[in-house]
């Protein structure tokens, strides 16, 4: 999921020009889990903007809980069919969701003015109702087979691939004494699994071309093609 | 001169460390920058001088400029370069540049995180890690860059790396040291150690790698510094006995006391190492005294 956190209301209000009519769109999946743009927060945002003198012409979180705003065909259908009247009046859309959701609203409205209501902060695991943690950096070249499934790109502050720097103290990272050293986590896990052998041997530098942006993925039921500056990679999911 | 020559003939290699200035070196040919002033105290006491690379992520004059300046004045610099601020293109180019400007020894490090320094909002690069950097430096010396392109002329320097004996679990640090050896590290300097047991546990395992190791020591100037290091300096722990001993000395006597304590520690452990790396944190003037307490004969003066 894409973790998001709402921008301060003053910042959002500053985006909106005097007299600008705004339609608020939330996301009923990730932003709902983050309490940054679910049904409640979206309705509340409309009211908060109203109280600050912003004219809100409508609001919605398209679909049932679990439905992502970034599913373009669904979002487009909801906005055009269920909110056709309000949208006609809207000068702009405030999106309570991640950056993908913001772009989905651009696509769904054929290029309307949009305002981001959230900062998109990371891709994370929903560990519980209250905790969302980052375990993957979306780098395009997964190395975690050799690290017990724990990502050094993400869990090590320096994204080191061949082991820890010398900076850890009492198992904590030099950057923050509250934060675990990612490499010690990897070591302890592999030790527990009896697979410390995986730590031996040289790990090549990352191919950052696979991390170059923007990237695209073309999918079909049988194969997928990943495009980055590292080139096109097509993989079949069948024998 | 490559330190390799000294290690090869069995010399106990003594190095110390200076940090470049926060600022430029004035054009006035008579101006002596602070790192050169510090180096003057070390003349005749050490074989070589580490020049730090924006240490603790605090932005300063580049280590290469300061290294070249020291070399021109007759000192033997160990040019430090970290992975924090440069991608693989810049790192390789810097190594070629360093050799081209006369540098013979380099120490390749990961680098302290930007978060510890004075530009906390900087983008930390870490395109490579220190193991990869060592391998790439070794490949440059073989005449090719990391993309496999041939070099018209290859550099030829002595490649050093760092290891932290204080690291727990030690085995994890030794796995990395092993990788650095395989990648082409020719000598090691340890991070600062104060604890006898840490030294012994480390060297019992690390000597098997068969590379010269210099014991790293940081001069403990005051009990406050010891407490500060225990609180704030990553990867270093100062035992209470050290803190109490320096604290028992009157403030005016602390330089003398620090020289005695540091020298005593080096003396105790010098037979287990192939050299020592003394980090005096500005008190370069006590390095001769430290070596006297350690009963180490100084090398001949190299600079005027």
């Amino acid at each position: 999921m894409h973790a998001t956190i709402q921008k301060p209301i003053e910042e959002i209000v500053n985006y909106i020009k005097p007299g600008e009519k705004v339609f608020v769109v939330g996301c009923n999946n990730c932003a709902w889990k983050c309490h940054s743009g679910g049904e409640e927060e979206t309705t509340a945002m409309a009211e908060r903007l109203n109280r600050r003198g912003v004219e809100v012409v409508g609001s919605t979180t398209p679909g049932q809980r679990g439905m992502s705003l970034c599913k373009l065909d669904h979002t487009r259908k909801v906005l055009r069919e269920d909110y056709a009247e309000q949208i006609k009046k809207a000068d702009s859309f405030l999106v309570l969701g991640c950056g993908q959701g913001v772009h989905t609203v651009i696509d769904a409205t054929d290029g309307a003015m949009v305002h981001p209501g959230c900062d998109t902060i990371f891709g994370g695991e929903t560990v519980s109702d209250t905790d969302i943690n980052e375990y993957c950096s979306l780098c395009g070249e997964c190395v975690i087979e050799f690290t017990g499934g724990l990502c050094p790109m993400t869990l090590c502050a320096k994204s080191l691939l061949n082991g820890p720097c010398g900076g850890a103290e009492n198992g904590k990272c030099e950057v923050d004494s509250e934060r675990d050293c990612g490499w010690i986590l990897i070591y302890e896990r592999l030790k527990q699994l009896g697979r410390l052998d995986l730590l031996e041997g040289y790990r090549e530098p990352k191919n950052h071309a696979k991390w170059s942006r923007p990237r695209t993925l073309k999918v079909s039921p049988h194969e997928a093609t990943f495009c980055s500056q590292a080139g096109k990679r097509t993989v079949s999911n069948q024998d | 001169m490559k330190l390799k020559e000294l290690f090869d003939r069995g010399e106990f290699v003594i190095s110390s460390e200076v940090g470049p200035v926060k600022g430029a070196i004035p054009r006035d040919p008579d101006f002596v920058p602070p790192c050169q002033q510090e180096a003057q105290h070390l003349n005749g006491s050490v074989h070589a001088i580490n020049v730090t690379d924006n240490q603790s992520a605090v932005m300063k004059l580049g280590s290469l400029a300061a290294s070249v300046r020291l070399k021109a004045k007759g000192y033997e610099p160990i040019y430090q370069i970290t992975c924090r601020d440069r991608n693989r293109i810049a790192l390789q180019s810097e190594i070629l540049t360093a050799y081209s400007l006369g540098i013979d020894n380099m120490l390749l490090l990961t680098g302290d995180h930007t978060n510890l320094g004075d530009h906390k909002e900087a983008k930390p690069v870490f395109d490579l890690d220190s193991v990869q950097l060592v391998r790439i430096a070794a490949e440059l010396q073989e005449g090719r860059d990391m993309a496999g392109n041939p070099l018209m002329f290859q550099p030829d320097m002595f490649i050093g790396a760092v290891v932290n004996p204080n690291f727990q679990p030690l085995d994890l640090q030794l796995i990395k040291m092993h990788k650095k050896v395989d990648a082409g590290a020719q000598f090691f300097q340890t991070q600062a150690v104060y604890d006898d047991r840490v030294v012994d546990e480390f060297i019992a395992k690390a000597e098997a790698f068969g590379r010269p190791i210099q014991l790293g020591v940081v001069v403990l100037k005051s009990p406050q510094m010891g407490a500060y290091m225990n609180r704030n300096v990553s990867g270093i722990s100062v035992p209470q006995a050290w803190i109490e001993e320096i604290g028992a000395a009157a403030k005016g006597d602390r330089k003398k006391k620090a020289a005695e304590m540091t020298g005593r520690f080096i003396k105790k452990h010098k037979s287990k190492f192939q050299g020592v790396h003394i980090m005096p944190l500005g008190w370069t003037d006590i390095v001769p005294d430290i070596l006297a307490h350690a009963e180490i004969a100084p090398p001949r003066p190299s600079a005027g």
Side-chain angles (χ1 to χ4, degrees), chain A residues 158-193:
Chain A
K158 300 175 185 175
S159 296
L160 306 179
L161 295 179
N162 278 289
C165 69
E169 190 86 67
N170 300 319
K172 302 297 180 184
C173 175
E174 75 172 30
V175 169
D176 178 357
S177 61
E178 300 291 309
R179 167 177 168 167
D180 292 324
C181 165
W183 271 102
I184 293 179
L185 293 177
I186 290 167
Y187 175 83
E188 295 298 343
R189 177 160 162 77
L190 289 175
K191 193 174 174 187
Q192 195 183 18
L193 293 169

Side-chain angles (χ1 to χ4, degrees), chain A residues 201-231:
Chain A
Y202 177 72
R203 296 285 162 220
E204 294 282 348
K206 291 289 287 190
N207 179 355
H208 286 291
K210 291 182 181 174
W211 205 344
S212 63
R213 289 153 182 137
R215 298 173 288 184
T216 60
L217 182 66
K218 281 204 182 301
V219 292
S220 76
H222 308 298
E223 64 174 31
T225 302
F226 169 45
C227 291
S228 69
Q229 288 303 309

Side-chain angles (χ1 to χ4, degrees), chain A residues 157-169 171 174-176 181 183-184 187-188 196 199-208, chain B residues 88 110-113 115-116 126-129 131-132 135-136 146 164 167-169 171-173 175-176 179 191 230 233-237:
Chain A
K158 300 175 185 175
S159 296
L160 306 179
L161 295 179
N162 278 289
C165 69
E169 190 86 67
E174 75 172 30
V175 169
D176 178 357
C181 165
W183 271 102
I184 293 179
Y187 175 83
E188 295 298 343
L196 283 176
L199 290 183
E200 289 161 16
Y202 177 72
R203 296 285 162 220
E204 294 282 348
K206 291 289 287 190
N207 179 355
H208 286 291
Chain B
R88 60 192 74 180
T110 305
D112 296 315
H113 197 275
N115 195 42
L116 306 184
F126 299 114
D127 182 20
L128 302 181
D129 64 29
V131 176
Q132 294 159 349
R135 176 183 271 208
I136 284 146
M146 74 176 283
N164 184 3
F167 195 93
Q168 289 297 329
D171 281 349
L172 181 53
Q173 188 71 183
I175 289 170
K176 189 158 186 185
K179 290 190 187 197
Q191 297 281 15
N230 281 342
V233 179
S234 52
I236 296 177
S237 62

Side-chain angles (χ1 to χ4, degrees), chain B residues 131-150:
Chain B
V131 176
Q132 294 159 349
L133 180 58
V134 168
R135 176 183 271 208
I136 284 146
E139 285 174 353
L140 289 174
Q141 316 228 104
E142 290 165 7
R144 62 180 188 283
D145 69 16
M146 74 176 283
N149 302 307

